[in-house]
C-alpha cells in the first residue's frame, strides 16, 4: 500500500515496555501505519492490554515456541504489507516525528534504501548515540562496528521480493549487524542526525 509503514516489533517477556513502545508508535505524526507485533513465546508478563487496541492498526501474533530474535524478525517481514518497514524493539520508543522524518527523507532521496538515526540512551537521558550520516562513512564504519541502530531503522520494503532475511544462525546476537553488513554492498544507507 502506497505510503504505508509497517512498524515491526518483536517481543519476549517485555509486556510493560511493549505498552510504552506501542503508544509511541500510535502517537506518531504520521498516521499511515500498521503495527505488527510478534510475541516470541513469552513466559511472563501480561499482554492482555493488546486486546483493547484497534485491530486495524495493531496486529498481534504469538509464536507457539521461542525461536529467537533473528527468526522473529524474519517472520515479521513476511507479515508486513507496507511500502516501508520500520523497526523498533519492545523496550524502546519513538519520538513523535520519527516516521514522518524518515519517510520524507526516503521520498526526497529515491536512491536511498535504508535510513536510521541518532538515538538517545533512554527516555530521560541526555546521552545521544551518534553515527555516520553518509553512505560512504556508514560503509567504512560497518567494517569494524555496527553503526545502524536497529530500533531507529526505516527502509523500503524489499526484503520478501529480494529474499533478503536475517541470518538465523546469529540467534539473538548481532543479527542486525550481519544484515547491515550484507545490505551495504547492494543498498544505499543514510542516518539522520
Amino acid at each position: 500500500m502506497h505510503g504505508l509503514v509497517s512498524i515491526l516489533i518483536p517481543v519476549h517477556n517485555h509486556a510493560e515496555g511493549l505498552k510504552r513502545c506501542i503508544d509511541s508508535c500510535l502517537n506518531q505524526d504520521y498516521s499511515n501505519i500498521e503495527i505488527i507485533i510478534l510475541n516470541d513465546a513469552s513466559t511472563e508478563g501480561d499482554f492482555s492490554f493488546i486486546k483493547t487496541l484497534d485491530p486495524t492498526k495493531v496486529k498481534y501474533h504469538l509464536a507457539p515456541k521461542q525461536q529467537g530474535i533473528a527468526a522473529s524478525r524474519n517472520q515479521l517481514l513476511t507479515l508486513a504489507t507496507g511500502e516501508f518497514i520500520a523497526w523498533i524493539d519492545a523496550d524502546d520508543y519513538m519520538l513523535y516525528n520519527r516516521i514522518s522524518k524518515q519517510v520524507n527523507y526516503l521520498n526526497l532521496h529515491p536512491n536511498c534504501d535504508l535510513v536510521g538515526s541518532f538515538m538517545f540512551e533512554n527516555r530521560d537521558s541526555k546521552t545521544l548515540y551518534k553515527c555516520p550520516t553518509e553512505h560512504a562513512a556508514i560503509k567504512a564504519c560497518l567494517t569494524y562496528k555496527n553503526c545502524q541502530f536497529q530500533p531507529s531503522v526505516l527502509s523500503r520494503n524489499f526484503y520478501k521480493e529480494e529474499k533478503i532475511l536475517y541470518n538465523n544462525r546469529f540467534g539473538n546476537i548481532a543479527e542486525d549487524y550481519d544484515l547491515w553488513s550484507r545490505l551495504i554492498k547492494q543498498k544505499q544507507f543514510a542516518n539522520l542526525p
Side-chain angles (χ1 to χ4, degrees), residues 152-168:
S152 79
V153 168
L154 185 137
S155 67
R156 300 184 193 283
N157 190 357
F158 49 76
Y159 302 91
K160 283 187 285 191
E161 183 179 315
E162 297 181 29
K163 296 179 176 53
I164 298 170
L165 296 171
Y166 289 84
N167 188 331
N168 289 332

Side-chain angles (χ1 to χ4, degrees), residues 43-55:
T43 56
E44 58 187 58
D46 181 4
F47 292 87
S48 61
F49 72 90
I50 293 173
K51 293 177 185 169
T52 67
L53 302 173
D54 179 354

Side-chain angles (χ1 to χ4, degrees), residues 31 35 62 83 90 102 111 175 178 180 184 193:
S31 60
I35 301 167
L62 178 61
E83 179 182 356
Q102 289 179 312
N111 293 330
E175 81 290 343
D178 168 71
W180 312 144
I184 196 77

Side-chain angles (χ1 to χ4, degrees), residues 34-45:
E34 65 174 359
I35 301 167
I36 307 173
I37 302 156
L38 178 65
N39 183 336
D40 191 22
S42 293
T43 56
E44 58 187 58

Side-chain angles (χ1 to χ4, degrees), residues 51-67:
K51 293 177 185 169
T52 67
L53 302 173
D54 179 354
T56 64
K57 281 276 192 204
V58 181
K59 296 157 180 127
Y60 180 75
H61 302 270
L62 178 61
K65 65 178 187 172
Q66 189 176 4
Q67 56 191 357

